[in-house]
Amino acid sequence: MFWRFIMPLLIVAIGIILLLILITGFKLNTFVSLIIVSFIVSLALGMPLENVVTSIEGGLGGTLGHIALIFGLGAMLGRLIADAGGAQRIAMTLINKFGEKRIQWAVVVASFIVGIALFFEVGLVLLIPIVFSIAKELRVSILHLGIPMAAALLATHSFLPPHPGPTVIAGEYGADIGLVLLNGIIVAIPTVILAGPLYTRVAKKIVPDAFNKTGNIASLGEQKTFQLEETPAFGISVLTAMFPVLLMAISTILDMIQKSAGIEGNTLIEIVRLIGNPSSAMLISLFLAFYTMGIARNTPIKEVMDSCTSSIAAIGMMLLIIGGGGAFKQVLIDGGVGDYVAELFTGTSMSPIILAWLVAAILRISLGSATVAAMSTAGLVIPMLAQYDVNLALVTLATGAGSSICSHVNDAGFWMIKEYFGLSMKETFSTWTLLSTITSVSGLGFILLLDASLIISGAVIILISIVAIYFSMFDRSKDKRNAFGDIKA
């Protein structure tokens, strides 16, 4: 009986170790490594030979069939906003409006809005030059602004569709992506406040020397810059970036009202649902961007389409990696591993929300890739969910939170932060690694609060916001040396 449960889990553990060795030791491409390990694990689990390839193809195709449209259209939308200068307009306008004393909050809000439309790496590369120039102009540390920026980008990446993690996992779990979005925003806001402006104060005490670094963004090459008057208006830039969120939110709220009020379905409701479907919402938003970021600015349609083409070229490998993660997930399900996990936890009191977070966190620390960790978690957790009456949107968010924990040397984001901000290994661990861990743990905390009570979680979010605003805007202590200190222009 003991070996009946342990052997499948041991095979999975060996498979994960092999995956880690192939990626970090032999420097093999992540997608290729995932496919190799999927074959090996499926055979080790005793799957019939005729089912091995079918399982891998089904997992890859099923995953990409759900996400490819949303992911691809989202990449095009983000690139159009960036190439037209819309993202720069959002950032610079908010920075000018908030003023020098509230500069951190300007960076947080700008990064959050930009982070919804742009994938993490793209948002980072786009915003870092802006943060560097603002820090130089105001004579503040780049980390004083960089930590809040990174926190906002990571939170949107972990919790909000159309980012790949929450989008893929929502599809695998069968969660309503609109509810994932609404709950994700509720979770992301206080998480960003904790991991951003509040943690910046702590980081200054842990690694004060890091706040004297000047950074190095030479590797980004020459950045496309705009005169502010050349960019789209602030309002239209924000509307374009947030439009898919608005469409999905309207559809979800309408569904909630319909269910609570017992309203019968009709043609109008069906139309709103169609418009609010993630794929439809992204397509409509892309058409809006064609006009606001292109045609309305007299940009040739060929140039607009070139932006779309380049965005897809940039995410091609990411799509394959997501598909590879789907293949590995399906092997775990078809090989019966998920059923064994479900049996192990039968009759236990552990919340599936905590279990999903824990499994994703372990895989994230081991593998580095948040997307692969999330996909593999789904393969282990899905069979268990049938035993529980649980909010699938919150399980989705918990998986996203777990997959963001403890970014370290096996994660590309770790090295991007280290090199761009000119940090030592210790300083990167003390800033970025801790920031990602705070995002993960606090995200889980807010998810559990949401699971317990929407009112309680709302009160906690308001309290955190008040405390953060007090410390960042009204604190009169003399701890200003690192924030506005000795950084030479």
Side-chain angles (χ1 to χ4, degrees):
M1 185 72 175
F2 176 78
W3 283 107
R4 175 174 171 267
F5 285 109
I6 293 302
M7 276 306 295
L9 298 179
L10 185 61
I11 290 170
V12 173
I14 293 172
I16 291 170
I17 292 170
L18 176 61
L19 182 62
L20 185 60
I21 292 171
L22 290 176
I23 294 172
T24 60
F26 290 94
K27 307 299 181 185
L28 228 59
N29 176 274
T30 304
F31 170 69
V32 175
S33 301
L34 280 166
I35 298 301
I36 291 172
V37 170
S38 295
F39 270 99
I40 293 173
V41 170
S42 64
L43 293 171
L45 288 171
M47 287 179 59
L49 296 181
E50 66 270 18
N51 294 345
V52 171
V53 174
T54 303
S55 178
I56 291 172
E57 289 178 346
L60 191 150
T63 299
L64 290 183
H66 171 71
I67 191 180
L69 190 58
I70 301 171
F71 197 27
L73 295 175
M76 292 182 191
L77 176 65
R79 178 57 67 89
L80 286 174
I81 295 170
D83 286 354
Q88 183 172 326
R89 165 70 82 163
I90 292 170
M92 297 306 297
T93 300
L94 288 171
I95 287 166
N96 290 335
K97 292 290 184 183
F98 275 74
E100 181 177 326
K101 290 183 179 179
R102 294 178 291 274
I103 189 66
Q104 274 192 324
W105 290 100
V107 170
V108 165
V109 175
S111 301
F112 196 89
I113 294 173
V114 170
I116 290 174
L118 300 179
F119 300 133
F120 177 82
E121 293 82 0
V122 179
L124 192 65
V125 169
L126 178 74
L127 289 174
I128 276 183
I130 297 174
V131 164
F132 272 54
S133 64
I134 296 299
K136 184 176 181 180
E137 181 180 339
L138 298 182
R139 296 176 60 83
V140 304
S141 166
I142 53 174
L143 269 185
H144 181 70
L145 304 181
I147 288 177
M149 174 200 70
L153 291 176
L154 181 60
T156 55
H157 178 77
S158 301
F159 300 125
L160 303 183
H163 286 275
T167 305
V168 173
I169 300 306
E172 298 295 339
Y173 289 158
D176 185 317
I177 202 165
L179 284 176
V180 172
L181 176 63
L182 291 180
N183 287 313
I185 291 173
I186 294 172
V187 170
I189 290 173
T191 299
V192 170
I193 293 172
L194 285 177
L198 289 184
Y199 177 63
T200 302
R201 300 173 60 83
V202 177
K204 289 174 187 174
K205 294 179 172 62
I206 298 175
V207 279
D209 290 344
F211 286 78
N212 294 324
K213 299 294 179 68
T214 55
N216 178 19
I217 55 173
S219 60
L220 294 178
E222 186 176 349
Q223 298 298 301
K224 187 175 181 180
T225 57
F226 301 88
Q227 296 296 322
L228 207 56
E229 58 271 15
E230 297 174 349
T231 61
F234 173 74
I236 202 67
S237 298
V238 172
L239 176 65
T240 305
M242 298 292 290
F243 203 63
V245 175
L246 293 174
L247 293 180
M248 286 187 279
I250 290 170
S251 175
T252 301
I253 292 170
L254 179 64
D255 274 345
M256 294 168 65
I257 293 173
Q258 183 191 10
K259 290 175 183 176
S260 61
I263 301 171
E264 291 187 6
N266 54 54
T267 304
L268 178 60
I269 290 176
E270 292 302 318
I271 290 173
V272 173
R273 280 180 179 162
L274 175 62
I275 293 173
N277 178 279
S279 297
S280 304
M282 293 305 304
L283 182 61
I284 294 168
S285 301
L286 183 62
F287 277 115
L288 175 66
F290 286 161
Y291 178 76
T292 59
M293 301 290 120
I295 296 170
R297 303 178 63 248
N298 296 319
T299 303
I301 194 67
K302 183 181 183 304
E303 190 174 323
V304 173
M305 292 302 106
D306 285 344
S307 289
C308 293
T309 302
S310 62
S311 70
I312 295 302
I315 66 166
M317 183 50 65
M318 175 58 76
L319 280 172
L320 284 178
I321 291 171
I322 291 171
F328 186 51
K329 175 268 304 179
Q330 196 62 42
V331 162
L332 297 181
I333 293 176
D334 293 345
V337 178
D339 293 327
Y340 287 118
V341 172
E343 286 187 48
L344 279 174
F345 286 92
T346 298
T348 66
S349 58
M350 177 179 281
S351 164
I353 291 175
I354 296 176
L355 178 64
W357 178 86
L358 185 61
V359 172
I362 293 171
L363 292 174
R364 156 68 163 182
I365 293 170
S366 303
L367 301 176
S369 169
T371 303
V372 174
M375 292 298 304
S376 303
T377 299
L380 296 171
V381 172
I382 285 174
M384 188 194 69
L385 293 178
Q387 302 175 14
Y388 295 89
D389 180 18
V390 64
N391 187 328
L392 295 176
L394 296 185
V395 178
T396 299
L397 293 175
T399 305
S403 67
S404 69
I405 199 170
C406 197
S407 169
H408 61 98
V409 294
N410 60 0
D411 178 29
F414 177 91
W415 298 105
M416 292 175 72
I417 296 293
K418 178 185 181 299
E419 297 303 320
Y420 292 153
F421 289 96
L423 304 176
S424 66
M425 291 292 287
K426 176 187 174 183
E427 290 166 345
T428 312
F429 279 118
S430 299
T431 51
W432 170 245
T433 303
L434 276 178
L435 182 157
S436 62
T437 303
I438 292 169
T439 299
S440 177
V441 175
S442 60
L444 174 64
F446 293 122
I447 291 165
L448 292 174
L449 277 175
L450 270 177
D451 190 42
S453 170
L454 182 61
I455 296 175
I456 293 174
S457 59
V460 171
I461 290 171
I462 293 171
L463 178 62
I464 289 174
S465 301
I466 292 172
V467 170
I469 291 170
Y470 171 79
F471 276 118
S472 64
M473 295 170 60
F474 301 110
D475 184 19
R476 300 301 183 185
S477 70
K478 296 181 180 180
D479 184 25
K480 297 180 181 179
R481 179 179 179 81
N482 288 326
F484 293 90
D486 304 324
I487 305 299
K488 295 182 179 180

